[in-house]
């Protein structure tokens, strides 16, 4: 936490705004809209809720196809299932690790040929690295398919100076405990179309019609963010840039310190983008099977936590019947990637300790 989160939360108590609306909610939404440079933002109980509402408002229904990046966290695709629609997974390209535009177009063409024109495309900026949005947006426009940008990991990242989360019909953010800023749990939906956000606002509060009794013409959701949690978010927005700077320092430190370790490589920041470096990720030499898992187990013995990259969704048991368009990229990334300890509160001493230990183990495993 920064300095002011507690003050905003105390303010909610003092003024008795202990409800899913209030001054913290309004202020937090304004901060987010300013940061994303979008017309409107709705704060919500989670990023998953934001995705669910986005797809619902885009009219995704039972039996529809929805294209989703395969290399991501399961939450990117679960809301497709909530609506009874079918995910169609598209693999990544090797530069950004995000949706491959070439494969996206192939997937759209093949689905259209089957009479199943996709109802939406969910593109993810994984680990805070922006996807190739110019190409993806051009394809989406050509086929008239709306884009939902999953920017849950990418708050603060920019693509050609435009904030991630501001480029699609909808953008979604997450403030879960593990994200670059947190509200303990929460999310947001962003759009440049005010009417879409107003619709989402109504749906998120049980879809009441504007009459003095309870009238519903749509199913509703209870997805609002509490004014308490929004108070945390308000304070967190004030330290977002500090958090990003620290995460980028952590990435730079690892990259410099491990530059001479044979068999370890770092994804470069693609031209024209700014990455928040939510997590530092590395790739290990493909020649050595399961090097990532062997290093993880060894580091864990020293209480240093590393993790595998996201397991591609086309490999997940829950999605085994889903259509997928693959090219081997995400399978390869998953097989040899590793996330290093990346928290913005890591001290320089801790980072030194991680690097020292990592080098020792890597010299044994990657020899
Ligand atoms: C965290 C995350 C989500 C889900 O956000 P919640 O707030 O945890 O529901 C969705 N997509 C990606 C890529 C995420 O990392």
């Amino acid at each position: 936490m920064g300095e002011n989160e507690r003050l905003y939360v105390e303010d909610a108590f003092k003024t008795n705004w202990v409800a899913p609306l209030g001054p913290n909610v309004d202020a937090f939404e304004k901060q987010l809209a300013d940061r994303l440079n979008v017309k409107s933002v709705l704060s919500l109980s989670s990023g998953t809720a934001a995705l669910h509402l986005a797809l619902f408002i885009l009219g995704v229904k039972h039996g529809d196809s929805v294209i989703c990046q395969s290399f991501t966290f399961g939450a990117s695709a679960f809301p497709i299932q909530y609506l009874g629609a079918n995910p169609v997974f598209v693999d990544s390209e090797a530069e950004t690790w995000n949706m491959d535009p070439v494969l996206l177009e192939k997937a759209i063409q093949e689905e259209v040929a089957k009479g199943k024109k996709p109802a939406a495309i969910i593109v993810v900026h994984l680990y805070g690295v922006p996807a190739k949005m110019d190409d993806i947006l051009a394809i989406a426009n050509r086929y008239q398919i709306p884009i939902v940008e999953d920017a849950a990991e990418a708050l603060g990242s920019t693509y050609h100076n435009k904030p991630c989360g501001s480029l699609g019909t909808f953008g979604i953010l997450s403030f879960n405990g593990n994200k670059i800023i947190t509200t303990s749990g929460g999310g947001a939906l962003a759009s440049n179309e005010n009417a879409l956000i107003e619709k989402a606002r109504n749906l998120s509060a049980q879809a009441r019609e504007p009459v003095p009794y309870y009238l519903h013409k749509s199913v509703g959701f209870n997805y609002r963010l509490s004014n308490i949690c929004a108070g945390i978010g308000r304070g967190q927005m004030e330290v977002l840039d500090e958090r990003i700077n620290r995460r980028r320092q952590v990435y730079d430190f690892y990259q410099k310190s491990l530059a001479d370790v044979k068999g370890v490589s770092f994804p470069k920041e693609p031209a024209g983008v700014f990455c928040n470096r939510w997590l530092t990720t590395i790739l290990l030499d493909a020649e050595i099977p399961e090097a990532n898992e062997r290093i993880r187990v060894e580091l864990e013995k020293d209480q240093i936590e590393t993790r595998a990259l996201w397991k591609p969704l086309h490999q997940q048991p829950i999605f085994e019947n889903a259509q997928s368009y693959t090219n081997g990229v995400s399978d390869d990334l998953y097989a040899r990637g590793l996330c290093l300890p990346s928290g913005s509160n890591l001290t320089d001493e801790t980072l030194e300790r991680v690097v020292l230990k990592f080098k020792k183990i890597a010299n044994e495993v990657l020899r």
Side-chain angles (χ1 to χ4, degrees):
M1 291 291 105
E3 301 268 306
N4 292 334
E5 289 84 343
R6 187 196 298 270
L7 295 179
Y8 294 123
V9 171
E10 275 170 9
D11 212 50
F13 276 85
K14 278 189 203 139
T15 55
N16 212 24
W17 275 108
V18 182
L21 75 170
N24 284 336
V25 169
D26 296 344
F28 185 42
E29 289 179 349
K30 168 101 180 38
Q31 283 170 311
L32 291 168
D34 289 348
R35 180 75 195 206
L36 260 51
N37 197 21
V38 291
K39 292 218 177 92
S40 254
V41 168
L42 171 66
S43 57
L44 292 163
S45 55
S46 70
T48 310
L51 278 164
H52 191 189
L53 279 179
L55 296 180
F56 186 86
I57 290 171
L58 292 174
V60 172
K61 54 185 189 315
H62 194 270
D64 282 352
S65 292
V66 173
I67 289 183
C68 181
Q69 185 164 318
S70 182
F71 194 43
T72 182
F73 178 44
S76 300
F78 291 151
I80 302 171
Q81 302 274 93
Y82 300 168
L83 292 163
N86 303 313
V88 173
F89 293 115
V90 171
D91 214 322
S92 294
E93 34 78 18
E95 189 188 8
T96 74
W97 300 8
N98 295 308
M99 191 178 279
D100 179 353
V102 177
L103 210 50
L104 168 65
E105 181 147 33
K106 179 169 183 256
I108 294 172
Q109 285 171 350
E110 291 196 11
E111 294 300 303
V112 167
K114 285 190 258 172
K116 302 213 113 219
K117 182 180 164 183
I121 299 166
I122 301 171
V123 55
V124 187
H125 306 297
L126 209 65
Y127 301 116
V129 180
K132 298 201 166 177
M133 290 306 290
D134 280 350
D135 295 342
I136 291 169
L137 285 165
I139 294 165
N141 285 339
R142 198 173 319 135
Y143 293 89
Q144 292 287 301
I145 304 172
I147 293 266
V148 178
E149 257 184 294
D150 180 345
E153 300 176 2
L155 178 58
S157 295
T158 61
Y159 177 82
H160 299 171
N161 293 321
K162 291 186 197 128
C164 288
S166 71
L167 300 151
T169 302
F170 283 113
I172 76 103
L173 298 171
S174 167
F175 314 112
N176 196 43
N178 60 340
K179 298 306 198 289
I180 199 150
I181 63 164
T182 183
T183 58
S184 72
L189 187 64
S191 179
N192 274 313
E193 292 180 49
N194 287 327
L196 292 181
I197 295 297
E198 284 325 298
K199 176 126 203 242
R201 193 178 297 282
N202 175 260
L203 291 170
S204 73
Q206 306 288 21
R208 282 186 64 187
E209 291 295 317
V211 292
Y213 57 97
Y214 287 86
L215 181 68
H216 305 277
K217 293 183 179 171
S218 163
V219 294
F221 303 82
N222 186 2
Y223 276 171
R224 290 172 300 176
L225 184 68
S226 140
N227 193 56
I228 309 270
C229 295
I232 304 175
R234 254 180 109 169
Q236 288 273 281
M237 280 304 285
E238 295 171 6
V239 294
L240 172 61
D241 286 317
E242 280 169 39
R243 298 288 185 272
I244 294 170
N245 286 340
R246 183 60 185 159
R247 299 252 176 178
R248 287 178 60 91
Q249 275 175 2
V250 167
Y251 174 92
D252 288 342
F253 179 81
Y254 283 130
Q255 192 177 31
K256 286 198 186 85
S257 311
L258 302 177
D260 55 349
V261 182
K262 201 176 127 287
V264 175
S265 63
F266 285 75
K268 283 195 203 67
E269 193 160 54
V273 312
F274 177 85
C275 303
N276 68 6
R277 293 294 183 211
W278 173 55
L279 297 186
T280 295
T281 54
I282 57 171
L283 291 178
L284 302 165
D285 197 331
E287 309 282 281
I288 299 149
E290 294 182 23
N292 54 357
E293 177 59 7
R294 284 157 66 195
I295 291 174
R296 186 190 72 77
V297 168
E298 286 306 311
L299 286 171
E300 195 169 44
K301 291 181 186 157
D302 256 303
Q303 271 149 32
I304 295 170
E305 188 190 24
T306 58
R307 285 198 199 166
L309 304 185
W310 300 123
K311 188 179 175 75
L313 300 186
H314 71 263
Q315 287 193 35
Q316 297 284 357
I318 178 66
F319 295 124
E320 68 184 354
N321 295 323
Q323 177 71 45
S324 58
Y325 293 84
T326 57
N327 55 16
V329 170
S330 64
D331 289 342
D332 175 59
L333 294 170
Y334 178 65
R336 58 197 190 90
L338 196 65
C339 300
L340 300 182
S342 311
S344 28
N345 57 353
L346 287 171
T347 61
D348 290 350
E349 296 73 61
T350 307
L351 289 173
E352 298 276 3
R353 186 172 83 83
V354 172
V355 161
L356 215 65
K357 193 76 203 171
F358 184 96
K359 279 184 156 174
K360 186 167 172 290
I361 293 166
N363 279 333
E364 290 157 17
V365 172
L366 300 174
R367 206 174 8 207

